[in-house]
Amino acid sequence: DDRPEEQKSKIHKWMGDAFFETLDTYNSQHAGQSGFHIGYRGGDLAQMSIDALLAGDFSFVGLAFLVVFAYVIAMTGSVFFSTMAIGQIFLCFFSGFLVYRIIFGNFFGTFHV
């Protein structure tokens, strides 16, 4: 028995350790200067790339919500209105995903925030 799952997990770990950090660093620091981005097509490197991208983007989403919350408080002077405004934004996600599913017929797993 060659234990293919164990071998596969070791190969995926090696690929991630050997290549992902180097390629991700290149994409974030040098790709803009050279005009050349390295992309991944399937597999663990693609998933690691998506996870890293989403983690960075979610920090901007959190910042955006804080800025909107503070802006509405500054304009209205009401924490209640500000909380309701953020609540309405969250409630719009469901209808947005529903319309997306109806139009395109599937769910885009990394629906970009």
Side-chain angles (χ1 to χ4, degrees):
D1 184 27
D2 286 339
R3 299 186 312 260
E5 289 302 317
E6 182 182 336
Q7 292 176 5
K8 185 178 177 183
S9 68
K10 287 182 180 181
I11 290 170
H12 286 231
K13 181 179 178 339
W14 174 77
M15 287 178 64
D17 293 344
F19 298 112
F20 178 72
E21 188 173 329
T22 302
L23 297 177
D24 191 48
T25 301
Y26 172 82
N27 279 340
S28 64
Q29 294 179 0
H30 305 292
Q33 299 165 356
S34 67
F36 181 75
H37 290 270
I38 297 172
Y40 313 98
R41 192 132 173 120
D44 286 345
L45 286 177
Q47 189 61 46
M48 290 170 73
S49 177
I50 290 169
D51 292 344
L53 178 68
L54 289 177
D57 288 351
F58 274 117
S59 63
F60 288 121
V61 170
L63 179 64
F65 276 114
L66 288 175
V67 168
V68 169
F69 189 77
Y71 180 78
V72 174
I73 287 177
M75 290 289 115
T76 63
S78 172
V79 174
F80 176 76
F81 282 150
S82 185
T83 304
M84 292 299 109
I86 296 297
Q88 287 179 354
I89 292 170
F90 279 120
L91 289 173
C92 289
F93 284 124
F94 173 74
S95 59
F97 285 131
L98 182 65
V99 169
Y100 189 89
R101 182 129 167 125
I102 289 169
I103 292 173
F104 294 108
N106 63 356
F107 179 71
F108 183 47
T110 54
F111 191 34
H112 207 53
V113 177

